Amino acid sequence: MPKPKPDDRSDNVEKIENNIGHTLQNMDEANDYLKAHSDEISAEEKEQIREKNDRREESIEGLRQEIKDEADYQNHQ
C-alpha cells in the first residue's frame, strides 16, 4: 500500500489569492454585463446576477479568512 503524501501547504496562500482574483474578476464582469444590458434583461435575471455577486462576496470573505489561517499555520511551523 502506498504511503500517503505529506500535507504540502506551501502554496495554499497563492492558490487562495488566485481564487480571490478570479472571483473579483467574475464580479466585475457581472456588474459590467448588468450596466451594458440592464434595459435588455428581465428583473428576475438582474436579481439573480446580484444574488450571485452577493454569494461571491461571502466567498471572498471566507477565502480571506483562509489566508489568515494559512498565515497563522505557517508562522507556527
Side-chain angles (χ1 to χ4, degrees):
M1 188 158 116
K3 287 176 78 175
K5 293 183 180 181
D7 187 16
D8 180 13
R9 297 172 69 164
S10 61
D11 62 348
N12 282 3
V13 171
E14 181 180 340
K15 289 178 182 177
I16 295 168
E17 288 173 343
N18 285 337
N19 287 339
I20 289 172
H22 289 129
T23 303
L24 289 170
Q25 182 178 357
N26 288 339
M27 288 176 66
D28 288 342
E29 289 173 5
N31 286 329
D32 290 345
Y33 178 82
L34 278 175
K35 288 177 187 173
H37 302 285
S38 64
D39 57 340
E40 302 167 13
I41 58 178
S42 69
E44 182 179 342
E45 186 176 357
K46 290 177 192 177
E47 184 61 24
Q48 289 173 347
I49 292 169
R50 288 184 187 111
E51 288 174 356
K52 189 162 191 171
N53 271 354
D54 289 344
R55 290 189 300 274
R56 287 175 172 141
E57 284 183 30
E58 291 173 11
S59 176
I60 288 171
E61 289 176 25
L63 291 169
R64 287 183 173 144
Q65 183 59 49
E66 283 187 47
I67 288 176
K68 290 178 187 174
D69 293 345
E70 284 298 319
D72 288 345
Y73 175 81
Q74 290 176 5
N75 288 336
H76 290 96
Q77 290 296 312

